[in-house]
Amino acid sequence: MQQRLSENADFWRLVPHLTTQKTQTYCGIASAITVLNALGSSQYGDPVYYPHTYLTQDSFFTPTVLPYLSPKIVMSRGTDITELHYALETHGVQVQTMYGDSMSAHQLRNLLSQALVNSDHYVLINYQRACLRQRGGGHWSVLGAYDAKSDRVLIMDVARFHYLPAWVQIPDLLKAMNTIDPRGNTRGLLIVTGQPRSKA
């Protein structure tokens, strides 16, 4: 089955910035900088791209991020939804957390159908791969589009060495987010809002 990507889907703004996670545990960081670079709203950047402000998985860890998240923590166990929420906010964006056990499929469908065609909003998901019949455990990636006709959403997987972008059904996505991570927290999604690059 092939879905049609609308001209205003987030996919087109995200794909130039889609980043491959640098280690098995850096999926959250790779997803975060993909979104921040698409927005172009962060004031931080890797010096190798100067004078352009472009984040990398290393430059994400600014002094304001470190109280919430450090490379050592990410290398050892990855990133949970609360840590990534607060770390992202230090980059000058607004972040809303939605937990997998707090919404219905209908609510998720409505949320994504609006967010994924808005250049101010991007969606990061934290989910359990096994619920999507994939190999692996907990994971972060970015959502690129919603197709109402098939009721599927496009996951732009940052583990690009292993998985291509994949369309998944909304009930399956909700099931994958309504799981518990190793620290006892419910997974879910982050809606990141900022000033689009074109308006910066």
Side-chain angles (χ1 to χ4, degrees), residues 140-181:
W140 282 96
S141 277
V142 184
L143 294 185
Y146 170 67
D147 180 67
K149 185 176 181 179
S150 64
D151 197 32
R152 292 173 185 252
V153 68
L154 180 64
I155 297 179
M156 301 174 69
D157 205 319
V158 294
R160 297 197 296 169
F161 48 85
H162 188 45
Y163 281 105
L164 295 173
W167 290 97
V168 301
Q169 294 185 324
I170 288 291
D172 291 337
L173 177 64
L174 182 59
K175 180 180 178 181
M177 292 192 299
N178 191 11
T179 52
I180 305 299
D181 71 19

Side-chain angles (χ1 to χ4, degrees), residues 74-147:
V74 177
M75 287 290 290
S76 65
R77 60 164 173 78
T79 311
D80 71 27
I81 195 167
T82 302
E83 291 168 334
L84 197 56
H85 176 130
Y86 288 120
L88 276 163
E89 284 186 330
T90 70
H91 282 274
V93 293
Q94 297 179 346
V95 185
Q96 180 184 3
T97 297
M98 300 288 292
Y99 294 101
D101 61 356
S102 68
M103 57 187 141
S104 66
H106 177 70
Q107 291 170 323
L108 178 60
R109 191 177 291 114
N110 287 341
L111 184 156
L112 296 181
S113 66
Q114 297 177 47
L116 296 178
V117 294
N118 188 327
S119 62
D120 295 356
H121 297 70
Y122 292 94
V123 181
L124 283 66
I125 55 168
N126 184 212
Y127 60 103
Q128 173 58 251
R129 281 197 184 278
C131 295
L132 302 181
R133 297 170 291 282
Q134 297 177 345
R135 294 178 60 186
H139 189 55
W140 282 96
S141 277
V142 184
L143 294 185
Y146 170 67
D147 180 67

Side-chain angles (χ1 to χ4, degrees), residues 23-29 60-61 65-84 87 140 181-183 185:
T23 72
Q24 297 280 8
T25 58
Y26 259 64
C27 53
I29 307 306
F60 177 83
F61 294 97
V65 167
L66 292 176
Y68 304 106
L69 201 57
S70 70
K72 183 178 180 180
I73 289 174
V74 177
M75 287 290 290
S76 65
R77 60 164 173 78
T79 311
D80 71 27
I81 195 167
T82 302
E83 291 168 334
L84 197 56
W140 282 96
D181 71 19
R183 302 186 72 198
N185 300 314

